[in-house]
Amino acid sequence: MKLLDETKKYHEKVMTEPLLIQLPKITDPRGNLSFFQNNNQIPFEIARTYWIYDVPGGEARGSHAFKEQKEFIIALSGSFDVVLNDGEKEIKFTLNRSYYGLYVPPMYWRSLENFSTNSLALIVSDKNFDSNDYIRDFQIFKNRKGCIQ
Ligand code: TYD
């Protein structure tokens, strides 16, 4: 019982931190294949998929946080940076392989930037689109995180 509690605690902790996840890669002379599916590879059940493409040079997407939704972000093609801020410190993840994805927990300020030409960002989320789940003001985000001003 104690072990189960410890394991649960470990998973809860992991779920609250960003995580770069390596996906299966089935190499084949005909071309490689990678995948993820519900209840495996990524730490949530998928409700929605969207993608960002045709990003003009120098543009950034995002710059907001989600109160509840979790995301998994993959550079299906090309490369870009995912910049995450927990209210106190910033971490930058460069995504440039289609068999790696970044798990982004709720309540991280996140921005996608430095897109290469023809890059394609695939994003899966555990929630349907809900504009009320967005925090678009960094100061409000920091206050909600309980950061000392
Ligand atoms: P948004 O998430 O604000 O993009 P970014 O943070 O990169 O600027 O989404 C831009 C617009 O697209 C916004 O009007 C909401 C709409 N949208 C949907 O309708 N469904 C979705 O799943 C997403 C992600 C956005």
Side-chain angles (χ1 to χ4, degrees), residues 48 50 52 61-64 110 129 134 136:
R48 178 168 51 110
Y50 63 98
I52 295 172
R61 298 294 313 229
S63 298
H64 52 67
R110 70 123 173 96
F129 177 74
Y134 283 67
R136 293 192 181 274

Side-chain angles (χ1 to χ4, degrees), residues 53-149:
Y53 54 99
D54 289 349
V55 179
E59 286 293 347
R61 298 294 313 229
S63 298
H64 52 67
F66 294 114
K67 294 174 203 162
E68 288 184 1
Q69 75 168 279
K70 300 165 184 158
E71 290 191 329
F72 185 65
I73 306 176
I74 306 144
L76 274 191
S77 178
S79 68
F80 53 85
D81 296 335
V82 182
V83 182
L84 298 181
N85 191 315
D86 65 1
E88 279 171 354
K89 58 182 186 330
E90 200 170 87
I91 335 170
K92 182 169 84 178
F93 294 88
T94 298
L95 300 183
N96 55 13
R97 294 279 180 270
S98 60
Y99 51 90
Y100 273 97
L102 179 67
Y103 167 64
V104 182
M107 289 305 283
Y108 271 81
W109 191 264
R110 70 123 173 96
S111 169
L112 274 61
E113 27 189 87
N114 197 22
F115 287 86
S116 70
T117 307
N118 289 332
S119 56
L120 171 59
L122 179 74
I123 302 161
V124 293
S125 163
D126 70 326
K127 302 243 181 325
N128 282 347
F129 177 74
D130 176 6
S131 58
N132 293 320
D133 195 45
Y134 283 67
I135 306 175
R136 293 192 181 274
D137 182 310
F138 189 64
Q139 203 51 53
I140 293 173
F141 165 72
K142 278 185 73 146
N143 294 346
R144 247 186 118 109
K145 286 286 267 193
C147 296
I148 299 152
Q149 304 303 306

Side-chain angles (χ1 to χ4, degrees), residues 2-20:
K2 185 159 188 300
L3 188 64
L4 200 66
D5 285 349
E6 289 305 310
T7 309
K8 200 167 163 242
K9 253 189 240 157
Y10 171 77
H11 283 292
E12 275 165 9
K13 183 170 170 357
V14 167
M15 297 280 286
T16 61
E17 279 165 28
L19 189 63
L20 203 55

